[in-house]
Amino acid sequence: MTFRISHACLVPAGFVAGIALTSSLSGQVVFMTDDDLDMFALGPAARGALAAIVAALVAACVRSRRGLSVVSYAGLALLGITLSGGGWPFEMYIGGVGAGLLLGGLVGLCATADRAWLQTALAAGVLAGLLLAVPVDHVRTWSSAPRRYADFLPASAYEPDLAALTVLALTAVVLAVALASGDFGDPADIAVSGRTLVVGIVLPLVGLALYWWFVRQVWSLGVGGAVRGRWMFGLVLVVVVIAAALWLEGRTGVLLLAAMAFVAAGGGILSSYPDPWPWLLVPAALVLAGAALGRRFPQPLFGIGALALVAVSTLFEHPPWDNLHLGAIWLLLPFAVSYTFASSLPTDEPVTATSLAAPAAFSVPLVADFGWTAYAPLTQSEVPSWPDSWAWTSTGASVIAVIACGVAVAYLRTRR
């Protein structure tokens, strides 16, 4: 591979797209308990699903270099509008469309003779953004004391997020440099299957419907007394994704299975993080290393095996074994997921867009133990030093989901 400017530019652009896919913006996420408006309308799941659908449509339908450039800059502009302050009722949807346009445009720009390395560079940036979205938001929030009270301020108190707007402006400059250099090469005439477009639309809708069902189940428990419940219907999503991957032609569905294994193993983000921000460079470097190694030595089954180990580590969330779990999440997960994605590339543009947006679109938990006491315990209870029966059940379900994705990948790799 010859190092190109486009490779270096797609990494930061993809990073911004990854953060945009998961950002909840100005705190409009609330629980609405009436029948007309709820999390289905205003939740981050709806935003992620919308972004995934828009990205798949753009990657499938926009083919010219100029059209893809316009779409990418339109996405950056919409994201800039959502960051300019306000707290509008439809801010979630504007941001979702913007994130989808940006991701779909970047995926479309990769459709050249150097598609494998371009998609790998973009995937590395998006995965780093998905993994580090919460830690980056934590650093931004605590770097400015008034921002921590944003959820309690009226809409008129919002101010433009100058730091985020600056990042978007720099991303626009980086993308302009890549386009002006002509480093992408001539666009390749790649046919897009209708099945990939159907999958790109249907899968986010299935994830959104399951998420809406989960929220309804939580609220049906009520808020009086110590009420608990368990929900495992999220595993339906694993079955649907595997069926969709098998339905696609050839080996196209391998990347989709890698995305599902990622969601099943780690949930898509790093929710635990150290306070010194330079530590964030460690998982970012591991993502780049995993992408480079996966491109050179593509073995997606090895990556899915590593993701299964990450899923197993959730058994050790409590002392004295919690360091084992944190090490798996912070060191193994970033490397394993980027290696698995890079080993599964290149593939069709709509599938690439859907797979990169999957951690945001598939926000429904696969298994969950929920209830009033789970959200607001009345007393402090002693944390067990060994996993209980429910921990074994939930972890086992996640591990089985990852292994099932691996079995499907092994079958698809036997196809021509």
Side-chain angles (χ1 to χ4, degrees):
M1 185 221 34
T2 302
F3 181 80
R4 297 182 177 180
I5 296 176
S6 56
H7 300 151
C9 292
L10 280 175
V11 174
F15 181 80
V16 172
I19 291 182
L21 287 170
T22 58
S23 174
S24 59
L25 300 176
S26 63
Q28 290 293 317
V29 181
V30 292
F31 281 99
M32 308 295 292
T33 57
D34 58 76
D35 294 333
D36 297 327
L37 192 63
D38 55 16
M39 289 289 287
F40 181 74
L42 289 180
R47 185 176 185 273
L50 179 60
I53 293 173
V54 171
L57 289 173
V58 169
C61 301
V62 183
R63 310 306 299 171
S64 68
R65 181 63 50 81
R66 177 174 297 180
L68 292 168
S69 303
V70 171
V71 165
S72 300
Y73 279 105
L76 289 172
L78 289 179
L79 292 174
I81 291 174
T82 60
L83 293 169
S84 61
W88 309 308
F90 298 102
E91 186 181 17
M92 279 285 179
Y93 301 120
I94 297 174
V97 173
L101 291 176
L102 176 59
L103 178 61
L106 294 175
V107 170
L109 289 173
C110 296
T112 67
D114 193 26
R115 184 169 67 154
W117 276 102
L118 290 174
Q119 287 186 353
T120 300
L122 176 61
V126 173
L127 291 173
L130 291 170
L131 288 167
L132 297 176
V134 172
V136 168
D137 184 68
H138 171 77
V139 172
R140 290 174 55 248
T141 300
W142 286 91
S143 63
S144 178
R147 292 280 304 172
R148 78 183 74 173
Y149 305 108
D151 293 341
F152 306 97
L153 295 176
S156 60
Y158 287 108
E159 296 180 356
D161 193 332
L162 297 180
L165 290 173
T166 302
V167 171
L168 291 180
L170 292 176
T171 304
V173 172
V174 167
L175 185 58
V177 170
L179 292 171
S181 67
D183 202 34
F184 282 101
D186 296 329
D189 187 11
I190 301 173
V192 176
S193 168
R195 294 188 181 188
T196 60
L197 188 57
V198 171
V199 168
I201 296 174
V202 172
L203 286 185
L205 293 178
V206 172
L208 181 59
L210 287 171
Y211 186 84
W212 173 79
W213 186 17
F214 170 71
V215 172
R216 287 294 188 179
Q217 291 291 102
V218 172
W219 282 108
S220 67
L221 296 176
V223 295
V227 183
R228 295 184 65 87
R230 289 175 178 174
W231 191 78
M232 297 184 66
F233 291 100
L235 293 173
V236 172
L237 183 62
V238 181
V239 178
V240 173
V241 171
I242 292 177
L246 297 177
W247 183 58
L248 294 172
E249 295 91 344
R251 303 180 182 181
T252 307
V254 172
L255 183 64
L256 195 61
L257 293 169
M260 187 68 251
F262 174 34
V263 174
I269 59 174
L270 298 180
S271 57
S272 301
Y273 39 83
D275 284 333
W277 70 264
W279 281 104
L280 301 182
L281 299 177
V282 174
L286 290 172
V287 167
L288 296 177
L293 187 64
R295 183 74 268 129
R296 288 292 189 183
F297 308 101
Q299 293 293 335
L301 289 177
F302 290 168
I304 290 182
L307 291 176
L309 293 179
V310 175
V312 170
S313 71
T314 57
L315 285 172
F316 308 100
E317 290 183 311
H318 305 299
W321 309 102
D322 54 329
N323 288 333
L324 180 63
H325 174 60
L326 290 176
I329 293 296
W330 265 87
L331 301 178
L332 182 57
L333 177 61
F335 181 86
V337 67
S338 62
Y339 176 85
T340 308
F341 269 65
S343 299
S344 306
L345 293 169
T347 190
D348 290 357
E349 279 66 34
V351 176
T352 302
T354 301
S355 301
L356 292 177
F362 301 160
S363 56
V364 58
L366 300 186
V367 291
D369 185 11
F370 56 85
W372 179 251
T373 55
Y375 284 112
L378 301 178
T379 58
Q380 292 290 337
S381 59
E382 183 179 355
V383 178
S385 59
W386 190 250
D388 56 14
S389 60
W390 175 246
W392 284 100
T393 301
S394 58
T395 302
S398 298
V399 173
I400 291 174
V402 176
I403 293 176
C405 293
V407 172
V409 168
Y411 170 74
L412 289 181
R413 286 176 62 82
T414 62
R415 291 182 177 179
R416 292 184 178 179

